[in-house]
Amino acid sequence: MSAIGVFDSGVGGLTVAREIIRQLPDENIVYFGDTARVPYGIKSPQTVIRFSIENILFLLKHDVKLICVACNTASSLALPVIRNNFRVPIIGVITPGAKEAVYASQNKRIGVIGTKGTIKSRTYEREIKQLDPKVKVTAAACPLFVPFVEEGWLSGEVVLSVARKYLKPLRQAGVDTVILGCTHYPLLKPVIQEVLGKGVILIDSAKQVAFEIKKILASEDLLNRGKGGRHKFYVSDNPEWFSSLAQRFMGKKLMNVRKVDNV
Ligand code: DGL
């Protein structure tokens, strides 16, 4: 079963997996959520690099032809360091999101929000500047957004007032485009849009990531021509918790989530 391997620190990467499944329905998918070690967003680069290498090695045992790092933190901290150490193509979520934002922005002021690790790494900023050095980037870490989403707090006064505080520098900078640089943030789109205003474009890189995967597989003649792909989900802890949150992130319940002991 030649498959697309996808990994994330936990359940958030299902927002990316969902889009891959939508655009590439005939592809097999092996998803790994590192639920034993989530969150990655507050860990050191060395730790995130180590976890990411282990996750890739796990996926490589499952006959994968391409690996998608669905986690923004792992894409920011680990991918630039480890990408060339593997023969299989590895695609992260940073470049596709940066490309889409540079394309969308009219006033060349782009905002980036993500975990502390993602923002501190400045990887998005570097990617954006490489595409267009004239763009001014304003970045903000929004660490409480991940637990809000996992607790199902997607609206209401508390979420709104936290969002107002986090997003203030972006509003002050007059950004016209904002990259939702974390797997969980697309679920808070309505709140973020309300705070930033209707005119601001919100970039959720999942669509672009799936599109890039399709392009790479097509160019290497690796597209699956079967009828309907098979999807397998593995986690390093708490499969029940993962399954129950899958409804929120994937739009459907996941059966048969398997726990693995040694990643
Ligand atoms: N998946 C992570 C990301 O996209 C968010 C959760 C975490 O901190 O591990 O950055």
Side-chain angles (χ1 to χ4, degrees):
M1 174 185 124
S2 186
I4 298 172
V6 180
F7 85 81
D8 177 45
S9 55
V11 71
L14 290 176
T15 54
V16 180
R18 175 168 67 177
E19 194 53 37
I20 298 174
I21 292 168
R22 201 183 66 78
Q23 289 191 37
L24 292 158
D26 292 333
E27 293 298 328
N28 299 315
I29 299 204
V30 178
Y31 181 100
F32 176 68
D34 197 5
T35 47
R37 307 190 286 195
V38 71
Y40 282 12
I42 51 167
K43 304 228 161 58
S44 69
Q46 291 73 14
T47 299
V48 175
I49 291 169
R50 177 162 60 85
F51 290 172
S52 301
I53 292 173
E54 288 167 4
N55 299 343
I56 289 171
L57 292 175
F58 170 80
L59 288 172
L60 287 175
K61 286 188 217 146
H62 289 80
D63 187 20
V64 294
K65 55 187 172 184
L66 177 147
I67 290 177
C68 170
V69 183
C71 176
N72 284 259
T73 308
S75 296
S76 304
L77 298 175
L79 211 49
V81 184
I82 61 175
R83 171 176 266 142
N84 296 325
N85 296 352
F86 298 93
R87 276 225 296 270
V88 62
I90 303 180
I91 170 169
V93 288
I94 310 296
T95 313
K99 268 192 202 160
E100 211 182 329
V102 169
Y103 181 74
S105 175
Q106 296 288 318
N107 72 1
K108 295 192 187 291
R109 289 182 207 175
I110 296 177
V112 180
I113 54 176
T115 63
K116 284 185 176 168
T118 297
I119 298 306
K120 204 166 160 215
S121 75
R122 303 181 80 164
T123 308
Y124 267 114
E125 196 172 332
R126 273 196 299 279
E127 289 278 345
I128 292 169
K129 293 274 190 198
Q130 218 163 1
L131 294 164
D132 185 347
K134 289 197 207 84
V135 172
K136 187 173 178 309
V137 178
T138 306
C142 306
L144 288 173
F145 281 1
V146 167
F148 277 154
V149 171
E150 294 192 355
E151 288 300 315
W153 289 31
L154 306 182
S155 60
E157 253 326 295
V158 175
V159 186
L160 205 56
S161 80
V162 170
R164 279 197 197 103
K165 192 166 162 61
Y166 281 153
L167 301 173
K168 196 168 169 193
L170 276 65
R171 291 184 54 197
Q172 285 170 339
V175 299
D176 70 350
T177 305
V178 171
I179 299 176
L180 305 176
C182 173
T183 45
H184 291 55
Y185 298 0
L187 281 89
L188 289 172
K189 240 179 183 173
V191 171
I192 296 169
Q193 194 82 68
E194 185 175 337
V195 172
L196 293 173
K198 273 205 201 90
V200 173
I201 300 166
L202 301 183
I203 306 286
D204 160 7
S205 56
K207 278 200 185 77
Q208 193 62 24
V209 171
F211 181 74
E212 299 262 336
I213 290 174
K214 197 169 174 179
K215 232 170 51 184
I216 296 172
L217 293 182
S219 76
E220 305 208 1
D221 201 21
L222 286 173
L223 280 169
N224 213 356
R225 305 199 196 284
K227 281 202 210 94
R230 286 173 44 203
H231 311 140
K232 292 185 179 168
F233 296 88
Y234 296 92
V235 292
S236 46
D237 201 5
N238 271 335
E240 304 79 18
W241 174 81
F242 183 91
S243 298
S244 67
L245 279 184
Q247 179 82 39
R248 193 171 304 143
F249 286 86
M250 279 281 277
K252 66 171 187 182
K253 254 210 153 71
L254 292 177
M255 300 302 172
N256 300 325
V257 177
R258 276 172 258 194
K259 178 178 174 310
V260 287
D261 289 320
N262 295 308
V263 184

